[in-house]
Amino acid sequence: MTAPPQDDPPPPLAGVLETALYVDDMARARAFYEGVLGLRPMFADARLSAYDVGGRSALLVFQRGAAMQATRLPGGTIPPHDGSGPVHYALAIARADLPAWEARLVAKGVAIEGRTDWPRGGHSLYFRDPDGHLGELATPGIWPIY
C-alpha cells in the first residue's frame, strides 16, 4: 500500500474568531449573557446578538431558526446555518478570578454543574445557560496552549 500524496501545508490559522450558539428565546439569552456574564453586544437585533469576548473573539447568539435563510449584505452573502441541542463553549478567565466568578454565578442563581482540576494546573467551572448550553470558565493550564 502506498502513502497518499502529501499536500503543501495550509497557511497558518490565527485563532478561533467566532463561536455560535442557537437559542429559543433571544431576550432570555441576552439577559443571561449580559446580566450574568457581563458581556456587552457589539451588534444586536431580533436574530443575532454578537458579543466581544476578551477583545479577541466573538460569541454569536442566534435566535434558533432565524439564520436558516441566506443573509445578503452589501459586501456579500452569509450562507444559511443553524444548530440544535446543547453545545459546549469555554471562556478564558484569570486563575485569581475563579472564586469571584463562582460566587457571581451562585448569586445570580446559576447552578454549578461541575468542577475540574486539570493535570497542567488549570481549573474549570461548568454551568448551563437558559437553553442548556454547557458553559465553562477555564483558567490557564488546561491545554498546552493555554
Side-chain angles (χ1 to χ4, degrees), residues 11-37:
L13 297 172
V16 176
L17 178 62
E18 299 172 343
T19 297
L21 302 175
Y22 299 88
V23 301
D24 293 320
D25 184 323
M26 182 61 78
R28 180 181 69 187
R30 287 193 67 184
F32 180 83
Y33 287 98
E34 295 170 29
V36 175
L37 297 185

Side-chain angles (χ1 to χ4, degrees), residues 48-101:
L48 165 68
S49 293
Y51 297 103
D52 174 354
V53 180
R56 296 178 20 175
S57 61
L59 179 62
L60 306 180
V61 178
F62 285 94
Q63 176 69 45
R64 195 179 316 278
M68 290 299 295
Q69 302 297 322
T71 302
R72 299 197 190 321
L73 302 170
T77 300
I78 301 170
H81 55 87
D82 200 47
S84 63
V87 300
H88 167 69
Y89 63 93
L91 303 172
I93 63 169
R95 180 171 284 119
D97 291 339
L98 186 61
W101 270 111

Side-chain angles (χ1 to χ4, degrees), residues 76-125:
T77 300
I78 301 170
H81 55 87
D82 200 47
S84 63
V87 300
H88 167 69
Y89 63 93
L91 303 172
I93 63 169
R95 180 171 284 119
D97 291 339
L98 186 61
W101 270 111
E102 183 168 2
R104 179 176 177 83
L105 291 173
V106 170
K108 296 283 188 175
V110 178
I112 305 302
E113 286 200 13
R115 293 172 182 79
T116 301
D117 296 327
W118 297 99
R120 290 185 173 86
H123 305 284
S124 293
L125 188 68

